[in-house]
Amino acid sequence: MVSVVIPAHNEAKVIGRLLDGLLREAAPGEFDVVVVANGCTDETAAVAQPYDVRVLTTPVPSKREALRMGDAAARGYPRLYVDADIELSTASVRALASVLAAPDGPLAAAPERELALADRPWLIRAYYAIWTRLPHVRAGLFGRGVIAVNDGGNARIRALPPAMADDLAASLAFSPDERVIVAGARALIQTPRTVADLMRRRVRAMTSVSELEQTSATAGERTGMRDLLAIVAGEPRLVGAAAAFALVAVLARRRAARAIRAGDYTTWLRDESSRS
């Protein structure tokens, strides 16, 4: 049985959207879905309750604690860890599970990204035009809202120390030949609707990469000028987007420096605009 663990902190606006797509074509009992409402002050648990899922609650607003609780309750493998604010179809869950269940298959898998960008401001569209072309972004499991593992992969990520960038840490825990991006699976990611919310995401990302570099032997993923030049060399039309990306990166790095100096790796700068 495929298990799906969904940590959800104040996700009443979007948890139903995820569960609708995930369960729409699923046979009764095909998926073991565990929603862990953690530290919620809204109706997340109530919204999830009518679906064919198990809902756990904890007063502790912690994604790591929610994942631990969900893991302990989950019944099967392959196992998916899914962010509550994305959209994922029944077919995509099946595709991920099929790859992981294959003999001699990978330890971990993730879906292709589909970014919602149609009505976003130019700066946001420009930023993601570059971000999605970065080699480590294209190959990594992070930033997709879903990480799927078999039992061996689960043991690997459960051994990781706590980290704000839990999906990046999980991605880096697997070598390229131990993980795969499944072309037959897609996750719809809601990008920020405002530049201010984009900055919140990027400050959080830079802070969390710094935490990984300071608390583990694994180097985080950073983008350099060589990466941007390589993208523009291949697609000259993106020179303006590359300049916008660099500007956002510089501003986010400056803002993240304050949290890094203070050793603040717990403040979660949340993008609320993508949940509207």
Side-chain angles (χ1 to χ4, degrees), residues 66-85:
L67 289 169
R68 186 197 64 77
M69 287 181 62
D71 235 6
R75 295 167 177 159
Y77 290 100
R79 187 166 299 174
L80 280 67
Y81 303 99
V82 180
D83 290 348
D85 60 336

Side-chain angles (χ1 to χ4, degrees), residues 152-178:
N154 176 260
R156 182 81 59 85
I157 62 175
R158 288 181 69 177
L160 295 172
M164 181 186 292
D166 57 311
D167 59 345
L168 176 57
S171 180
L172 294 173
F174 301 99
S175 63
D177 61 341
E178 293 177 324

Side-chain angles (χ1 to χ4, degrees), residues 170-191:
S171 180
L172 294 173
F174 301 99
S175 63
D177 61 341
E178 293 177 324
R179 67 185 192 230
V180 65
I181 306 303
V182 179
R186 302 189 71 81
L188 177 60
I189 312 295
Q190 295 295 327
T191 59

Side-chain angles (χ1 to χ4, degrees), residues 119-121 124 190-195 197 271 273-276:
D119 60 349
R120 301 321 194 243
I124 292 173
Q190 295 295 327
T191 59
R193 294 178 181 275
T194 71
V195 174
D197 281 293
D271 165 22
S273 71
S274 62
R275 291 170 167 83
S276 62

Side-chain angles (χ1 to χ4, degrees), residues 1-5 30-32 71 74-81 93-102 106-109 147-154:
M1 175 183 290
V2 178
S3 283
V4 181
V5 176
E30 180 180 0
F31 300 150
D32 165 41
D71 235 6
R75 295 167 177 159
Y77 290 100
R79 187 166 299 174
L80 280 67
Y81 303 99
V93 175
R94 289 172 179 159
L96 290 165
S98 176
V99 167
L100 290 169
L107 296 177
I147 292 181
V149 295
N150 57 21
D151 54 348
N154 176 260

